[in-house]
Amino acid sequence: MTDLNALTRANAKRWADARLTRNFTAVARRLVAPAAKARYQAVAVKTGVPWAVIAVIHQRESSQDWTGSLAQGDPWDRVSVHVPAGRGPFCSWEEAAIDALVNCAPYAARNKDWSIGGTLAMLERYNGLGYASKGRPSPYIWAGTDQYVSGKYVRDGVYDPNVVDSQLGCAGLLITMMKLDPTIKFAGAAAIAPPVVPKPQPAQAPAAKTPASITNPAKGSIGAVIANILTAILKGK
């Protein structure tokens, strides 16, 4: 049986160490787009699951297809055939999403730990704990980062250590979404500071030149020549 506290700690450490190895920007931009965000927020209000978590589940389960259920990607307007099977039909994507989060394992709506480690552990449970039982980082979470190299369940119960998951993982999506939308925050996740733009320095006025005079003749002038002659005479005394 997987130790969920250990999994939470492991994923928090991986988050702190992670570096992206693929480009997440285009997909993350779609997930935080105002129209999509509003729909995710509507489900978040009903379930207590952060909207950004709902967004990355939607991407992983159905590539953000609004005709696909959040539970497993099956069309929500008919009875689902993949696990969890037998759900639906529903009247809308939102209704199906609420059912997936409230009534289907791992019952994300019951989760109380939305720190970054707890969030990633919940997302891993959403996909299954097979990777954790092998001591391997889940590609569902870490694909596209340096925390994942290879290994994937190619079908139920069949693990191939050499297959590389081509989908983008939840962690990299969240990292990129947080850069695009600073309202997304998780306890324990380092805040993403905006770039520091140096303030323009006021232009310094050139130093005022002392006007030429008898005591300060202009360089190369007759006065300067005479001053040099007098200086030489005085030194010769």
Side-chain angles (χ1 to χ4, degrees):
M1 187 173 180
T2 302
D3 183 338
L4 295 179
N5 289 327
L7 181 62
T8 296
R9 292 192 297 271
N11 277 329
K13 184 178 187 309
R14 288 171 181 147
W15 173 276
D17 295 340
R19 298 294 180 269
L20 304 186
T21 57
R22 300 183 201 165
N23 190 337
F24 286 76
T25 303
V27 175
R29 193 170 282 129
R30 280 196 285 102
L31 296 178
V32 302
K37 179 178 177 178
R39 298 186 74 172
Y40 297 138
Q41 287 177 319
V43 175
V45 168
K46 298 287 187 179
T47 63
V49 178
W51 73 264
V53 172
I54 298 169
V56 298
I57 294 173
H58 191 199
Q59 175 62 29
R60 283 293 309 198
E61 296 298 330
S62 64
S63 299
Q64 206 190 18
D65 183 352
W66 296 99
T67 69
S69 172
L70 199 70
Q72 70 300 80
D74 287 355
W76 50 258
D77 61 352
R78 63 195 76 167
V79 178
S80 63
V81 296
H82 296 96
V83 179
R87 311 304 302 178
F90 299 99
C91 296
S92 66
W93 178 86
E94 285 80 0
E95 184 182 2
I98 292 167
D99 176 74
L101 298 170
V102 173
N103 300 319
C104 301
Y107 307 102
R110 302 179 191 176
N111 186 49
K112 303 300 181 186
D113 181 4
W114 294 114
S115 67
I116 194 58
T119 296
L120 296 174
M122 169 53 67
L123 286 166
E124 188 159 346
R125 289 169 61 200
Y126 203 93
N127 181 243
L129 294 173
Y131 299 99
S133 69
K134 292 180 177 295
R136 300 292 298 273
S138 167
Y140 193 87
I141 310 301
W142 299 108
T145 78
D146 61 359
Q147 301 301 298
Y148 169 76
V149 177
S150 66
K152 181 176 171 62
Y153 281 92
V154 293
R155 55 184 180 274
D156 289 347
V158 179
Y159 177 79
D160 188 329
N162 300 311
V163 172
V164 177
D165 192 333
S166 61
Q167 286 186 271
L168 298 175
C170 295
L173 287 169
L174 288 174
I175 289 169
T176 309
M177 289 166 68
M178 290 171 73
K179 292 179 181 178
L180 296 172
D181 184 341
T183 67
I184 302 171
K185 298 180 187 297
F186 296 96
I192 299 170
V196 177
V197 179
K199 293 182 179 178
Q201 297 297 319
Q204 298 250 344
K209 292 183 178 179
T210 305
S213 65
I214 294 175
T215 57
N216 183 40
K219 187 177 179 181
S221 67
I222 301 252
V225 173
I226 294 171
N228 288 337
I229 293 171
L230 290 175
T231 300
I233 292 171
L234 291 172
K235 281 183 178 180
K237 284 185 176 181

